[in-house]
Amino acid sequence: MSDMPSAPSQRWLTIIGIGEDGPAGLGDEAKRLIAAAAVVFGGRRHHELSAEITTGKRLAWESPFEKSVEAVVAHRGSPVVVLGSGDPFLYGVGATLSRRIDAAEMHVIPAPSSFSLAASRLGWPLQEVTSISLHGRPLDLIRPHLHHGRRIIALTSDDKTPGQLAELLCVSGFGQSRLHVLEALGGDRERHRHAVADGFELAQIDPLNVCAIEVVAGEGARAIAFTPGLDDALFEHDGQITKQDLRAITLAALAPRHGELLWDIGAGSGSIGIEWMLADPSLHAIAIEQSSERAARIARNALAFGVPALAIVEGTAPEALANLPEPDAIFVGGGGSEADVLETALQALRRGGRIVANAVTLEMEAMVLSLYRQYGGRLTRIEITRAAPLGSMNGWRAAMPVTQWCYIKK
């Protein structure tokens, strides 16, 4: 249920971005609003920075943070100030509060973000930089962005993150990358140090830091290409994987769009769901796999490709599909020939959603042909032939043909 009003109301909530320079970096309006506020929400550091101008009641953020969101919402209609770091709408408290409070109720005064400050110190055009938050998030999220020559600015969690990032760069083949550690930006304690990842020895790092990376790929570096159909060798698998060429064709047929959810039924190595999520950060996927060993392998692959949010459901379809969120797209590979799997998947698919089924066995092909006759859609025969050694010479070796059925639910 939404807490947003049906019509714009008085702006009772003021969200103010504050930097490490405290009141000195605030404009007159922001200082006046903080001083006049009866209630001021913020983190401990925010309250310390604004202590000299705060006269009202200071309320610190609670854990879990949702408690504090409820406390802010409970003051609806009464003047309240919320303090955030830098730009509150860039991975900040403003973004969180906006899910519950309409913009018409807010007055926002942002300050320069950590990304802006870091870019200005380094002389990097911000529009050419990849900005990512690793604050309270898995470091693996940075993996898809590791391409030679790329510049990355990352928000961190604490003083340990820079060293952990250096280690991740080294094990991924990017050990010669230059890692900048920018500490306490905008304040009296500001400091900028740098080191090559494979020689990283910086100590006594301020917990309030931002890391900037100049990516240098070494020989054999694990760079994740932008195009679908990644090299099979990048995946850990036991042979149960949609092969590279067929995977590219399958992902094109699935046609991911912003914010959509995919069910990957009989996920095997998880390659389809992983590449679906790599297409855009807004995408989600659920891998359904009956084998415990393969489910664990999918989880490892998801981390290695930087999509740790891939959900994994261990179980056998169609039973394992019960109570899952409604999908926008479904891929059926392994296990599709089991009774009722395809029909159950079709029933679960939202209207306008896409289903793609790849049939290799005669039994699965018979089911796909039956569904094609019943529902229509597009039926494609895919045959791929590759050069392979033939004695002392080379010849063409055909892979097993695949019948692919694509259907948009009406």
Side-chain angles (χ1 to χ4, degrees), residues 70-390:
E70 294 294 341
V72 173
V73 172
H75 284 78
R76 174 172 267 135
S78 301
V80 171
V81 166
V82 167
L83 299 177
S85 299
D87 184 346
F89 277 82
L90 189 58
Y91 298 112
V93 66
T96 302
L97 291 173
S98 67
R99 301 186 188 111
R100 298 288 303 277
I101 301 169
D102 192 272
E105 300 178 77
M106 298 181 186
H107 176 45
V108 183
I109 306 176
S113 69
S114 295
F115 296 113
S116 295
L117 292 173
S120 68
R121 302 301 191 265
L122 295 165
W124 293 1
L126 196 54
Q127 73 273 12
E128 299 173 8
V129 172
T130 297
S131 301
I132 184 172
S133 175
L134 302 176
H135 181 73
R137 303 179 182 192
L139 294 187
D140 298 286
L141 290 170
I142 204 169
R143 293 183 186 273
H145 305 290
L146 297 178
H147 287 248
H148 183 77
R150 199 168 203 171
R151 289 173 168 176
I152 302 170
I153 298 177
L155 302 183
T156 66
S157 293
D158 51 35
D159 58 324
K160 299 181 180 62
T161 307
Q164 293 167 345
L165 270 176
E167 183 178 355
L168 184 151
L169 289 166
C170 290
V171 300
S172 302
F174 297 91
Q176 288 302 301
S177 300
R178 181 179 290 263
L179 190 63
H180 298 263
V181 181
L182 301 106
E183 306 164 70
L185 283 167
D188 295 336
R189 297 177 292 108
E190 179 174 323
R191 180 167 59 171
H192 172 199
R193 295 181 286 170
H194 59 81
V196 174
D198 65 6
F200 190 87
E201 294 181 348
L202 300 183
Q204 297 182 322
I205 297 172
D206 193 296
L208 188 66
N209 68 80
V210 175
C211 286
I213 305 168
E214 297 177 83
V215 182
V216 177
E219 185 176 352
R222 186 185 171 88
I224 300 172
F226 297 128
T227 53
L230 298 173
D231 191 335
D232 295 346
L234 291 173
F235 293 88
E236 181 186 345
H237 65 90
D238 59 0
Q240 190 70 18
I241 183 173
T242 303
K243 299 297 192 295
Q244 180 177 5
D245 299 318
L246 180 59
R247 194 182 328 121
I249 295 170
T250 300
L251 285 158
L254 287 167
R257 298 173 175 86
H258 176 83
E260 290 188 327
L261 170 67
L262 169 76
W263 286 4
D264 181 3
I265 301 175
S269 66
S271 62
I272 293 291
I274 286 169
E275 290 211 39
W276 167 277
M277 292 183 68
L278 283 172
D280 189 80
S282 70
L283 295 169
H284 309 278
I286 301 174
I288 298 97
E289 174 54 52
Q290 63 178 348
S291 164
S292 298
E293 184 178 349
R294 286 175 179 161
R297 188 177 292 119
I298 291 169
R300 293 194 296 272
N301 277 330
L303 288 176
F305 281 90
V307 288
L310 174 66
I312 302 170
V313 173
E314 189 177 325
T316 303
E319 293 78 14
L321 307 179
N323 302 317
L324 297 182
E326 183 182 56
D328 301 284
I330 298 175
F331 171 63
V332 184
S337 59
E338 299 297 325
D340 299 326
V341 170
L342 283 166
E343 287 290 356
T344 302
L346 272 171
Q347 290 173 15
L349 186 65
R350 71 163 177 83
R351 192 173 298 275
R354 290 92 60 206
I355 185 167
V356 176
N358 288 351
V360 177
T361 66
L362 294 175
E363 290 79 7
M364 177 73 166
E365 186 176 78
M367 290 187 173
V368 162
L369 290 171
S370 175
L371 290 168
Y372 175 68
R373 285 193 295 269
Q374 182 179 355
Y375 295 102
R378 185 176 76 246
L379 204 61
T380 308
R381 184 77 158 173
I382 303 168
E383 299 187 35
I384 298 171
T385 305
R386 299 182 180 88
L390 185 62

